[in-house]
Amino acid sequence: MLKNDLLLRAARGEQTERTPVWLMRQAGRILPEYRALRGRLSGFKELVETPELAAEVTIQPVDALDVDAAIIFSDILVVPEAMGLTYEMVEARGPLFPTTIRSAQDVANLRVADPEEHLGYVLEAIRITKRALHGRVPLIGFAGAPWTILAYMVEGHGSKTFSKARRLLYTDPQLAHILLRKITDTTIAYLKAQVEAGANLIQVFDSWAGILPPAHYREFSTRYITEICEALPDVPVTVFAKGAFFALSDFAQLDCQTIGLDWNQDPRDVRSLIGDAKTLQGNLDPCALYGTREQVQQATLDMLRQFGPHRHIANLGHGVYPDTDPDNVRVFIETIKEFSTLAREEQL
Ligand code: CP3
């Protein structure tokens, strides 16, 4: 049914003619057509909550960049909102929760969301996108990892330290677990519904993994990610935990197909910790795309050599920065396609 299923085959460890490539945050401000559409709307949330428009911007990078996957245009923060905690996206500043989680009562007031009732607009965007894609490329669904969602719900906004969220893990670990339980239950139901609506692969974003000590990460994050992976037997799952180098040997045991690497990680080190039974995704430094065309090509080739041809999905080590020149993104993508094809043919 899919004309291009490189991403899914690479995730499952099957042979591919070349390395598949997509970019985290490929749908967004790097594309002039996104900025034009976004400029006509009241804000980010209108785009996220209008399924036809979300579908349109989901497909923009497939047309404009020729990537091997689409990722549904949404945000990880739709989950806390579905649970009863509304977010705002403040222009040029980022997310803000006017009300945050402070007490056992606050946690008790949250609901385990019903995907169709509270997140129906995302599911509808997935259905529309699938129809409009006509099987050109797979569609990636996603959610935040429970720890990262807790971090925003307790902190209320982005932070360098997330000290309010981390403080909770010391002062009231039991309450943290009650909250993580509710987030995990919501997330599992939501991701299953995304798969039912047509998502071909699921990525879990643990953007704030790197701020926890290893023991806390194991207790408050990995165990919930483990549950999420086990709840999704029908599609490949990718776990991207930024900064979680200390968790890699635990990740080797996860029931998932792919581990995402940020740009601080050496692909060869990660391969030796994870073994050959998983695919690795990543991990060019997004800043490498600020170089000249030749520099972008060189950095991309270096990255490809570090991963080797098998079980690799090419990507950046985090989301593409909004002021990146789309032409350099195209150089990154073309270099991967050309070199990885050659490498297969000539066993480079
Ligand atoms: O192309 C894609 O990757 C799909 C869309 C997507 C968005 N957010 C759209 C978005 C995805 C996968 C996300 C995930 C997300 N959102 C994460 C996890 C990935 C990561 O970056 O670590 C996190 C932590 C968030 C929360 C969030 N949303 C922040 C911190 C911000 C502000 C920073 C920024 O980039 O502006 C957002 C806003 C956001 N989410 C934008 C987009 C396109 C920009 C807002 C706009 O266009 O006005």
Side-chain angles (χ1 to χ4, degrees), residues 94-159:
L96 176 74
F97 286 89
T99 311
T100 56
I101 299 301
R102 287 291 142 85
S103 65
Q105 190 56 51
D106 293 341
V107 175
N109 290 343
L110 295 168
R111 64 182 163 229
V112 173
D114 176 79
E116 279 296 343
E117 191 180 340
H118 304 112
L119 291 157
Y121 58 92
V122 183
L123 304 176
E124 185 56 17
I126 291 175
R127 291 184 204 108
I128 295 171
T129 303
K130 285 295 287 183
R131 281 198 294 274
L133 274 174
H134 292 296
R136 288 166 67 193
V137 289
L139 178 62
I140 301 171
F142 72 89
W147 155 247
T148 286
I149 297 301
L150 175 148
Y152 280 106
M153 292 173 92
V154 171
E155 200 78 25
H157 46 76
S159 159

Side-chain angles (χ1 to χ4, degrees), residues 205 261 336-337:
F205 287 93
L261 277 62
I336 287 154
K337 291 182 177 179

Side-chain angles (χ1 to χ4, degrees), residues 22-29 34 38 44 71-77 89 91 94-95 142 148 152 205 207-208 240 318-319:
W22 68 282
L23 283 82
M24 291 188 274
R25 289 288 177 94
Q26 64 189 17
R29 289 165 296 182
Y34 172 87
R38 174 80 170 68
F44 176 74
I71 177 163
I72 192 65
F73 189 82
S74 185
D75 202 275
I76 62 168
L77 302 178
M89 198 57 81
E91 208 58 55
F142 72 89
T148 286
Y152 280 106
F205 287 93
S207 304
W208 296 104
F240 173 69
H318 200 194

Side-chain angles (χ1 to χ4, degrees), residues 194-248:
Q194 289 190 36
V195 173
E196 224 163 277
N200 302 105
L201 180 150
I202 293 295
Q203 177 153 325
V204 178
F205 287 93
D206 207 355
S207 304
W208 296 104
I211 62 176
L212 291 185
H216 268 181
Y217 192 73
R218 200 168 285 138
E219 180 182 349
F220 295 101
S221 194
T222 307
R223 60 188 268 189
Y224 295 101
I225 293 175
T226 302
E227 277 189 48
I228 292 170
C229 292
E230 287 169 1
L232 298 166
D234 300 330
V235 290
V237 176
T238 299
V239 174
F240 173 69
K242 192 169 180 302
F245 57 88
F246 51 80
L248 287 169

Side-chain angles (χ1 to χ4, degrees), residues 4 9 21 46 78 86 106 121 131 143 149 156 175 178 181 191 201 206 253-254 268-269 290 304 312:
N4 172 349
R9 282 191 281 138
V21 55
E46 185 183 353
V78 301
T86 310
D106 293 341
Y121 58 92
R131 281 198 294 274
I149 297 301
L175 184 63
I178 295 170
R181 176 82 265 138
L191 291 175
L201 180 150
D206 207 355
Q253 310 305 318
L254 285 176
R268 290 161 295 205
D269 294 346
Y290 292 126
L304 282 171
H312 178 217

